[in-house]
Amino acid sequence: MMLGEKTRRDIDALFADYDSPSSPGCALGVLQGGELAYARGYGMADLEARVPVGTGTVFHLASVSKQFTAAAVALLEEAGELSLDDEAGEYLDWLPAYCRPLTLRHLVSMTNGLEDIYDVASLVMGIPEDSYFTMEEAVAIIQSAKGLLFAPGEKWSYGNTGYFLLARIVERASGLSFAEFARSNIFGPLGMRHSFVRSDRRQVIPHVAKTYSRLSQIRFKEPEAASLAGWGGSPELMELSGAGQVWSTVEDLALWERNYYSNVLGKGKPDFMRRLSRPFRLNDGTPTRYAYGQMLCERHGSSVVYHEGGSPGINTVIYRVPE
């Protein structure tokens, strides 16, 4: 089913400011009934080389990656390799004593009270958001914290640390690297041939959308090339999977979304993907607006499942209206 011409024109009008050979661009996909009804790129993936964005352009998904991390946990849960009620320390013996009360449920649902590793790196350690820091430094941040910000399950608070830990738990429970587990159990079965978890910041990615920021927003400015027209490169330097580092295309994400209508992952149970969109609850039974790496809300009278992602030079979103 294709969108009508007027709807396509209306959508294109929303992105007109990006649809320029002198502007970093974006890619868009619209699905109806699990099928890709409209997809196109706007603007440029590489200003210097004058490469436009297309539906096969590879983007960093940033925090949209979290739903893939959560799906990996759910697949291992379905296989009986772990339980959400397991303590995180059963899998990660390097966790400090203050983490002892934390279960996998607390990590997935973001009701864990952990300090955010990125906030600590930036605000406490002075490592800017667009600078690289290592896996070892992330572990050191967690180990050096004084304790939890609140009792597990008492409240909800968005953060990245829990999902960083979940990726390490997936590795421990499966015996595979997180990148390999995602490739073998999610991307491969769904035919997402251009999707992957990046675990090496030096990896060369074909057909990638380069990331840009306005020169006025960049700390270290290089001489401006004429083709950049006021933009400067803003590379993604992180390689800490779990909270981010899934890279994908509009065409591949359409396959991921289609799986909500006809699941082929794990044991192929029809309810598997829908279960990932059901909210967790606090200790007192209050439902949160967070599921397995997905946020829940209402817009214009309809329930919406979504997640946004952002890192230097990139913004992403998946926005689903089930009904």
Side-chain angles (χ1 to χ4, degrees), residues 36-73:
L36 193 58
Y38 188 53
R40 63 159 293 186
Y42 306 85
M44 307 303 286
D46 186 330
L47 287 170
E48 298 95 322
R50 304 189 67 79
V51 177
V53 173
T55 57
T57 300
V58 177
F59 288 85
H60 177 211
L61 301 187
S63 285
V64 170
S65 306
K66 289 181 172 71
Q67 58 198 271
F68 295 98
T69 304
V73 172

Side-chain angles (χ1 to χ4, degrees), residues 200-219:
D200 182 351
R201 64 193 171 102
R202 297 163 296 185
Q203 178 178 347
V204 177
I205 303 173
H207 311 298
V208 72
K210 287 190 173 181
T211 47
Y212 298 94
S213 297
R214 290 289 185 187
L215 277 176
S216 59
Q217 300 170 344
I218 298 176
R219 292 179 302 120

Side-chain angles (χ1 to χ4, degrees), residues 280-291:
F280 287 96
R281 293 180 178 271
L282 300 178
N283 294 340
D284 63 4
T286 303
T288 67
R289 290 190 172 270
Y290 203 77

Side-chain angles (χ1 to χ4, degrees), residues 41 63 67 75 91 96-97 157 165 190 237 280:
S63 285
Q67 58 198 271
L75 287 169
Y91 300 90
S157 179
L165 294 178
L190 293 179
L237 298 177
F280 287 96

